[in-house]
């Protein structure tokens, strides 16, 4: 059932999403500038320098263990050049959203939930690297993975008792969470995620990763491969118990579909473990950076 077909569900969820704050003017401007073909670091510097919070986030990231630089960077302009335009764009987007959503309540502890999402982001980026995706584009895989499950948050908040039953049914049946959501709520977190993606005007790629990560074939043809990689990264994180988002039992058919579209064999994922563990420790800085604005 589409979420708009259930008036009670639609009113509660859309009301929750409507109350979510919009992205800040600075973040919106950063996204707009970064989408221009001839954007320069100076263009970003002029916008970010007017926002002390985002300036602090950029400097905190460049001076973090994620980059392990020998000397501290104090110049915003230099930090933007060193990080790269795509990294700064995705830092602005991801920390703004983490800062907003981390304040909401979920049935699963938020640190456990975000640990799962962080693993999906790291794994998606690693899979993109395996496929020789240019480094500048790999950051979008990370952000898409990080944000793929945000549609669960309105459902946790609006229907805590019903969603507790959804989680219990998933465990009893040892099946995928979205099937329990469809059965008990009439919609899935992919649908509510789509509404959030539309509110915050995410890129079509990130929007499809949020709304189609359990059904990559439904994504736009040009974006299907990216969505399948995020889907595969989500399956990897679920099966290896990195954090938890309430979905430990991916369907075999979903695994095969993601592998087929993404162009991987399951054996290709076996060497990922060490890299994912290492990158996961480093990437936790994205959770810490978001605390600057909390």
């Amino acid at each position: 059932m589409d979420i708009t077909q259930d008036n009670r569900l639609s009113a509660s969820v859309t009301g929750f999403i409507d109350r979510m704050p919009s992205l800040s003017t600075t973040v919106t401007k950063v996204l707009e500038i970064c989408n221009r073909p001839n954007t320069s670091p100076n263009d970003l510097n002029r916008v970010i320098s007017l926002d002390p919070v985002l300036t602090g986030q950029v400097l905190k990231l460049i001076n973090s263990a994620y980059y392990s630089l020998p000397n501290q960077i104090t110049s915003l302009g230099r930090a933007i050049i060193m990080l790269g335009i795509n990294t700064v764009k995705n830092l602005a987007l991801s920390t703004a959203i983490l800062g907003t959503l981390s304040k909401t309540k979920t049935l699963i502890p938020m640190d456990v939930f975000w640990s799962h999402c962080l693993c999906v982001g790291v794994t998606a980026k690693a899979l993109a690297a395996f496929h020789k995706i240019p480094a500048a584009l790999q950051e979008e895989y990370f952000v898409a993975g990080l944000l793929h499950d945000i549609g669960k948050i309105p459902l946790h908040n609006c229907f805590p008792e019903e969603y507790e039953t959804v989680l219990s049914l998933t465990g009893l049946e040892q099946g995928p969470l979205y099937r329990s959501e469809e059965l008990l709520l009439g919609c899935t977190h992919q649908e509510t995620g789509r509404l959030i993606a539309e509110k915050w005007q995410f890129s079509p790629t990130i929007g499809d990763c949020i709304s189609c990560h359990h059904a990559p074939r439904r994504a736009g043809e040009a974006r299907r491969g990216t969505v399948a990689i995020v889907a595969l990264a989500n399956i990897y994180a679920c099966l290896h118990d990195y954090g938890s988002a309430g979905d430990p039992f991916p369907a075999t058919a979903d695994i095969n579909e993601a592998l087929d579209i993404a162009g991987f064999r399951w054996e290709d994922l076996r060497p990922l473990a060490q890299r994912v563990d290492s990158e996961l420790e480093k990437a936790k800085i994205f959770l810490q950076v978001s605390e600057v604005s909390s």
Side-chain angles (χ1 to χ4, degrees), residues 29-30 32-48 76-77 80-81 84-86 88:
K29 188 68 175 176
V30 166
E32 178 189 323
I33 288 173
C34 289
N35 286 333
R36 297 174 187 166
N38 299 316
T39 294
S40 72
N42 281 337
D43 295 330
L44 273 183
N45 194 357
R46 280 193 291 270
V47 174
I48 295 175
L76 174 63
I80 292 171
I81 291 170
I85 288 172
N86 279 321
V88 174

Side-chain angles (χ1 to χ4, degrees), residues 111-156:
D111 58 339
V112 175
F113 176 81
W114 286 120
S115 290
H116 163 79
C117 294
L118 202 60
C119 177
V120 176
V122 166
T123 306
K125 184 177 177 180
L127 291 171
F130 184 93
H131 261 347
K132 304 287 192 286
I133 301 293
L137 301 179
Q138 291 174 20
E139 289 296 330
E140 188 161 40
Y141 286 78
F142 172 76
V143 173
L146 182 68
L147 302 180
H148 76 288
D149 264 348
I150 59 173
K152 292 177 180 175
I153 291 175
L155 296 178
H156 281 242

Side-chain angles (χ1 to χ4, degrees), residues 192-203:
T192 52
R194 174 178 55 79
L195 298 179
I196 297 175
E198 290 171 356
K199 174 185 174 67
W200 280 335
Q201 299 181 325
F202 291 162
S203 71

Side-chain angles (χ1 to χ4, degrees), residues 252-270:
T252 302
D254 293 346
I255 298 173
N256 291 335
E257 178 180 331
L259 287 168
D260 180 52
I261 298 173
F264 283 93
R265 300 168 303 164
W266 189 253
E267 305 89 81
D268 296 331
L269 277 62
R270 286 177 184 155

Side-chain angles (χ1 to χ4, degrees), residues 148-266:
H148 76 288
D149 264 348
I150 59 173
K152 292 177 180 175
I153 291 175
L155 296 178
H156 281 242
N157 277 264
C158 296
F159 306 102
E161 293 182 8
E162 292 94 330
Y163 211 85
E164 188 76 62
T165 306
V166 166
L167 294 172
S168 297
L169 180 62
T170 299
L172 286 171
E173 292 193 335
Q174 296 194 359
L177 180 71
Y178 66 83
R179 286 186 191 165
S180 299
E181 290 174 335
E182 287 175 341
L183 180 64
L184 296 175
L185 296 178
C187 78
T188 73
H189 60 277
Q190 295 180 111
E191 293 171 65
T192 52
R194 174 178 55 79
L195 298 179
I196 297 175
E198 290 171 356
K199 174 185 174 67
W200 280 335
Q201 299 181 325
F202 291 162
S203 71
T205 298
I206 292 177
D208 272 5
C209 288
I210 292 170
S211 62
C212 301
H213 61 275
H214 291 297
R217 293 194 194 281
R218 295 181 189 170
E221 187 173 353
R223 301 180 289 276
R224 206 166 288 160
T226 302
V227 175
I229 283 179
V230 170
L232 200 54
N234 178 52
I235 289 166
Y236 180 90
C238 289
L239 293 178
H240 289 83
D241 294 325
Y242 285 95
S244 175
D247 196 9
F249 306 109
T252 302
D254 293 346
I255 298 173
N256 291 335
E257 178 180 331
L259 287 168
D260 180 52
I261 298 173
F264 283 93
R265 300 168 303 164
W266 189 253

